[in-house]
């Protein structure tokens, strides 16, 4: 097969895959109500009714006036660490704002990336509380905690920020926020003490709430997911889009698991103790806000009893190492798609190279050299096959002249010619098709790996994770593709096919304009290496007396 046809095939395959992916996002079936979900519910040890549990989960925060304008009796408590700058509302003890101190909004900007926010048009907060018969939170009122100070700053290795409350019926509550240097996860701990002479019952809950507005994903060539996700003891990782939240209600029981909200390179997640029974839920609030969370088992405290309840709140980047340590499957929020099995080892190799080179662009170049070196045997077969195919073109033309429109005889004669000349007509296609999974694996790696966000290369390439601002790399890639085309001239006779082949470098250049600069750098270097390899292979063939042009 002609090399140009192979290039056309791989180009169409990539574009078709991206179109299919967008179609899947729009038309994916909803997970709620499927037999597998029902089976999970039937097999879990929890027998409580989620409707009863959810009746007390506070919704008052969905009222824009109360949340956004802070028309409450609470105060804002600010906490600054080396990784987080957050605001906690003493009304409910909700985290209503979180800035990531180690991530800028734009490259070299002094402004820090804001993940959780209390804005009118972009509400995104992390809530937790105690509901149930004696819980201080309800669907109409939230607990209002006391605090000794409203501004805290991490100075040592850890910091505990306590909020306290004693209810009218004698339940003493301390809600601790425990921060650790270098980490984006916050331990949210309740210390409950029953100071009354009767039993008290509470049910812990957590939820993430976000406005639907502005939650659209990226375009076809830069698709990014913004929405919810969850994990249970039966489902390792499942996306749960805002459309899912609007159209159905999540209701699943699990031992352990987690719930999360994803936003491109960043994630917020509530993680219970992994031996804790939880009931996952979602709620659509007036088609304005979506929530995902979980409730825990009802806790009974006898008079004089004290108990501790802990949940982890992660607010930060999709750092695979940190997320993997926090909970099973949480690292899968770094979603590499169907080629995760290839993206992950390529990413670890890229990180390893970066640890030595100190530049992600150089690491990409080196990984390209390694990939092309590993594929050299296939490349050699590819170009030898294409060289032989061009060498037998006169003989093939003679067969066409001889058999004319008799396709059966023509086909038999061509197969005999291939056998006699030891030519594989598919030999030039397979190595290029093999590159497609590698290309797509790297593509997802650039979209999802926060380590590559704002990664500089040299000269005008200030961020390898976004498109080249001056389109220089895509143009150079198109030139390299044109050079490869000239090395393997078009031999097809059909005028339409000839025009398609001639315009392929231009078409692919237009496509690559929208791809991350790092991915275009990979393809450009790959083409340049292929040019060198092809010249070496053809020179070797000529020395062996094989005509290749």
């Amino acid at each position: 097969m002609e090399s140009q046809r192979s290039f056309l095939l791989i180009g169409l395959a990539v574009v078709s895959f991206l179109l299919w992916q967008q179609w899947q996002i729009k038309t994916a079936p909803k997970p709620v109500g499927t037999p597998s979900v029902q089976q999970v519910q039937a097999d879990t040890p929890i027998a409580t009714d989620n409707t009863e549990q959810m009746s007390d989960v506070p919704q008052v925060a969905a009222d824009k006036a109360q949340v956004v304008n802070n028309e409450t009796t609470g105060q804002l408590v600010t906490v600054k660490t080396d990784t987080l700058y957050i605001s906690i509302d003493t009304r409910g003890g909700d985290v209503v704002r979180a800035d990531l101190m180690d991530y800028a909004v734009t490259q070299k900007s002094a402004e820090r990336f804001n993940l959780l926010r209390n804005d009118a048009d972009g509400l995104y907060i992390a809530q937790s509380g105690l509901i149930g018969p004696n819980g201080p939170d309800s669907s109409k009122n939230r607990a209002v905690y006391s605090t000794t100070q409203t501004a805290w700053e991490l100075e040592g290795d850890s910091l505990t920020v306590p909020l306290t409350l004693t209810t009218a019926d004698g339940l003493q509550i301390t809600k601790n926020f425990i921060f650790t240097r270098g980490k984006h996860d916050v331990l949210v701990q309740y210390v409950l003490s029953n100071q009354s002479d009767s039993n008290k019952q509470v049910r812990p809950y957590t939820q993430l709430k976000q406005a639907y507005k502005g939650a659209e994903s990226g375009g076809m060539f830069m698709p990014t997911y913004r929405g919810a996700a969850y994990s249970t003891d039966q489902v390792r990782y499942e996306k749960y889009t805002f459309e899912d939240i609007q159209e159905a209600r999540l209701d699943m029981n699990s031992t352990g698991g987690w719930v999360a909200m994803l936003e491109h390179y960043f994630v917020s997640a509530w993680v219970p103790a992994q031996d804790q029974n939880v009931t996952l839920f979602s709620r659509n609030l007036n088609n304005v806000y979506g929530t995902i969370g979980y409730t825990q088992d009802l806790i009974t405290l006898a008079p004089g009893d004290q108990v501790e309840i802990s949940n982890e709140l992660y607010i930060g980047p999709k750092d695979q190492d940190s997320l993997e340590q926090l909970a099973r499957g949480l690292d899968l929020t770094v979603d590499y798609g169907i080629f995760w099995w290839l993206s992950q080892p390529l990413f670890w190799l890229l990180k390893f190279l970066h640890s030595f080179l100190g530049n992600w662009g150089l690491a990409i170049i080196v990984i390209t050299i390694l990939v092309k070196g590993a594929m050299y045997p296939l490349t050699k077969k590819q170009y030898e096959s294409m060289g032989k195919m061009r060498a037998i073109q006169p003989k093939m033309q003679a067969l066409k002249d001889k058999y004319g429109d008799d396709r059966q005889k023509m086909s038999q004669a061509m197969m005999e010619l291939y056998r006699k000349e030891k030519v594989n007509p598919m030999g030039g296609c397979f190595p290029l098709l093999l590159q497609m999974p590698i290309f797509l694996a790297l593509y997802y790696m650039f979209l999802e790996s926060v380590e590559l966000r704002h990664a500089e290369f040299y000269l005008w390439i200030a961020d390898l994770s976004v498109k080249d601002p001056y389109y220089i790399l895509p143009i150079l890639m198109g030139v390299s593709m044109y050079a490869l085309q000239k090395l393997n001239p078009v031999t097809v006779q059909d005028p339409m096919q000839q025009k398609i082949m001639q315009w392929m470098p231009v078409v692919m250049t237009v496509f690559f304009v929208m791809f991350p600069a790092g991915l275009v750098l990979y393809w450009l270097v790959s083409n340049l290496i292929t040019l060198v390899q092809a010249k070496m292979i053809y020179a070797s063939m000529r020395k062996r007396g094989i005509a290749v042009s």
Side-chain angles (χ1 to χ4, degrees), residues 75 134 334 366:
Q75 295 175 284
N134 304 109
V334 184
V366 173

Side-chain angles (χ1 to χ4, degrees), residues 96-129:
V96 296
R97 183 178 177 88
D99 295 341
L100 308 184
M101 299 301 291
D102 40 359
Y103 290 89
V105 174
T106 57
Q107 200 162 27
K108 298 180 180 179
S109 167
E111 185 181 359
R112 300 296 89 186
F113 184 84
N114 173 234
L115 186 57
L116 301 186
R117 60 195 75 94
N118 199 20
D119 301 332
D121 295 326
L123 181 73
Y124 180 9
I125 59 178
Q127 298 179 295
S128 58

Side-chain angles (χ1 to χ4, degrees), residues 102-107 113 265-266 360 446 449-456 463-465:
D102 40 359
Y103 290 89
V105 174
T106 57
Q107 200 162 27
F113 184 84
Y265 292 115
F266 304 98
W360 289 105
F446 278 103
S449 300
V450 69
E451 292 84 353
L452 294 168
R453 180 179 183 264
H454 295 170
E456 294 186 36
D463 188 350
L464 288 164
S465 67

Side-chain angles (χ1 to χ4, degrees), residues 1-34:
M1 180 175 287
E2 307 289 345
S3 62
Q4 292 80 14
R5 287 181 180 175
S6 302
F7 277 122
L8 177 61
L9 181 60
I10 192 171
L12 291 175
V14 169
V15 174
S16 298
F17 177 82
L18 294 174
L19 289 170
W20 173 82
Q21 173 184 259
Q22 288 299 302
W23 180 82
Q24 285 287 97
I25 291 173
K26 297 296 184 183
T27 62
K30 312 305 177 197
V32 175
T34 62

Side-chain angles (χ1 to χ4, degrees), residues 299-375:
I299 297 171
T300 301
L301 288 87
D305 278 358
Q306 181 172 305
V307 68
E308 291 184 2
I309 309 160
S310 297
N311 291 279
E312 293 275 1
L313 172 61
Y314 184 88
I315 313 167
K318 292 180 182 177
D319 179 73
Q320 296 179 63
D321 293 336
S322 299
L323 296 173
E324 186 177 26
Q325 293 175 14
L326 200 56
R328 169 183 173 269
L330 192 54
D331 59 313
L332 296 179
T333 55
V334 184
D335 192 351
Y336 289 140
I338 63 173
F339 293 108
W340 60 268
W341 51 272
L342 190 54
S343 292
Q344 286 186 344
L346 284 173
F347 176 68
W348 297 127
L349 177 58
L350 194 67
K351 279 184 67 175
F352 175 76
L353 293 171
H354 176 261
S355 67
F356 286 97
L357 299 171
N359 183 285
W360 289 105
L362 292 179
I364 291 168
I365 292 173
V366 173
I367 204 173
T368 308
I369 294 171
L370 293 175
V371 169
K372 291 300 293 182
M375 293 182 63

Side-chain angles (χ1 to χ4, degrees), residues 30-38 249:
K30 312 305 177 197
V32 175
T34 62
S36 61
V37 172
Q38 295 169 359
R249 174 171 286 188

Side-chain angles (χ1 to χ4, degrees), residues 150-217:
T150 58
W152 301 74
E153 186 166 354
L154 176 68
E155 294 179 351
D157 291 331
S158 65
L159 171 67
T160 299
V161 177
L163 304 179
T164 59
L165 169 70
T166 300
T167 65
D169 55 358
L171 185 61
Q172 194 175 79
I173 304 170
T174 300
K175 187 173 185 178
N176 293 317
F177 291 82
I178 303 173
F179 300 84
T180 304
R181 183 172 295 277
K183 291 190 174 182
H184 289 89
D185 47 296
V186 182
L187 181 65
V188 181
Q189 177 193 69
Y190 284 96
V191 180
L192 308 178
S193 179
N194 185 1
Q195 302 296 313
S196 73
D197 56 3
S198 61
N199 288 347
K200 303 299 176 191
Q201 290 186 314
V202 297
R203 186 188 303 281
Y205 85 95
T206 67
Q207 68 181 19
L208 297 163
K209 180 180 294 177
Q210 188 171 177
Y212 295 133
K213 185 176 180 180
E216 296 81 7
S217 298

